[in-house]
Amino acid sequence: MNSKLSTEQLKAISRGQLLGRYGFAISAELAAAGIMLAVHLICFLPVDQSTTAGLVLAFFISCILDVLSGVFAAGLTRFYLNLVCNRPGSVKDIFYNFRVHTNKALAIRLLTSIPQVIGCLPFLASGILIADQENPSAGLYLLYSAAMLVALIVYISVWLLYSQAYYLLLDFPGYSTRQIMSVSRRMMKGHKGRLFYLTVSLIPYYLLCFLSCGIASLWVTPFSRVLFTNFYLDLIHRNHAA
């Protein structure tokens, strides 16, 4: 009874849960994406990113918006938890954490963003060095590539550790932010490779999004979110069973 669901089982379950409900999920995704796009345009249009100062400013604006996006991320998590668990829900769920546990949603995203931003700093610095030189050396490009790899490793590692945080926030609202982060790390012990493999298995879907100029993402994004929600439910059931 405590055996984990395979990647293919999780995908099959997710496809079944989305049958007849893709339109509902797409509506929520478009609403959240539209609002975030509008905010990004307002913030970035005045910034001249052709200069070093502009690049640095754009980076810090991106960091701030990323933290603020945590509120929407928590709302979307609630939306998909309701969908997967067959609980009453609506597109308005994406705004849920603007009313409830806003500080925790922001704190979770801030605490995950800090190490990711620190990991990106060498990448940003090497990019600025390249932009400031007319003929950058091969060594500088090598440094840039190495810094990009480090940033990617840090980003993925942090995401894997705290991938369950928003689910825990919604299922266990009495937990403090510290408890949520701690439980997410504990839940992911021995399962990080499994989640990484699940994510990598979606690469063909993401390629389809690219080849369709983003149109396929209307279906791929809800599917991936339902898939990760089912991964969480499988984890939480295994933890309770243990």
Side-chain angles (χ1 to χ4, degrees):
M1 294 296 293
N2 199 26
S3 60
K4 62 186 178 184
L5 293 173
S6 68
T7 295
E8 290 310 314
Q9 285 175 315
L10 288 170
K11 286 182 177 179
I13 291 169
S14 300
R15 292 189 193 99
Q17 290 167 337
L18 277 167
L19 283 177
R21 293 195 280 184
Y22 263 109
F24 183 42
I26 289 171
S27 298
E29 291 290 345
L30 288 176
I35 293 170
M36 288 305 299
L37 177 61
V39 172
H40 275 74
L41 288 175
I42 291 170
C43 293
F44 281 105
L45 279 178
V47 179
D48 181 8
Q49 298 186 46
S50 64
T51 65
T52 300
L55 284 173
V56 173
L57 178 60
F59 176 77
F60 283 106
I61 290 174
S62 294
C63 293
I64 293 169
L65 292 180
D66 183 62
V67 172
L68 294 176
S69 73
V71 184
F72 269 120
L76 280 167
T77 301
R78 175 182 169 84
F79 174 86
Y80 283 102
L81 269 174
N82 286 337
L83 187 151
V84 168
C85 296
N86 287 314
R87 297 193 295 240
S90 72
V91 173
K92 290 188 293 185
D93 285 336
I94 66 174
F95 302 107
Y96 176 76
N97 286 96
F98 283 93
R99 305 187 307 274
V100 180
H101 305 302
T102 307
N103 290 341
K104 288 183 185 179
L106 289 171
I108 288 169
R109 190 65 198 115
L110 177 62
L111 291 172
T112 54
S113 290
I114 289 173
Q116 290 173 337
V117 169
I118 292 172
C120 282
L121 289 178
F123 174 59
L124 176 65
S126 58
I128 291 173
L129 286 175
I130 289 175
D132 281 345
Q133 296 187 18
E134 291 185 7
N135 297 301
S137 65
L140 191 54
Y141 277 114
L142 183 61
L143 176 64
Y144 178 79
S145 300
M148 180 171 62
L149 180 60
V150 169
L152 184 61
I153 291 172
V154 171
Y155 182 90
I156 292 173
S157 299
V158 172
W159 174 71
L160 289 173
L161 282 173
Y162 301 112
S163 56
Q164 310 308 304
Y166 289 123
Y167 299 106
L168 292 168
L169 167 65
L170 295 164
D171 273 351
F172 303 95
Y175 283 6
S176 66
T177 303
R178 179 178 294 182
Q179 285 176 306
I180 289 169
M181 307 297 272
S182 176
V183 172
S184 180
R185 290 195 303 269
R186 189 163 65 246
M187 284 178 65
M188 289 305 296
K189 188 175 182 180
H191 296 279
K192 292 186 286 293
R194 184 180 167 217
L195 179 57
F196 182 74
Y197 175 77
L198 183 65
T199 305
V200 169
S201 75
L202 292 172
I203 288 177
Y205 296 84
Y206 297 140
L207 287 175
L208 182 61
C209 294
F210 175 75
L211 293 173
S212 65
C213 299
I215 295 174
S217 63
L218 292 174
W219 290 268
V220 173
T221 301
F223 173 69
S224 64
R225 292 195 196 274
V226 169
L227 185 62
F228 292 136
T229 301
N230 280 308
F231 177 87
Y232 161 75
L233 292 173
D234 185 44
L235 272 188
I236 202 76
H237 290 157
R238 283 169 54 76
N239 275 268
H240 283 170

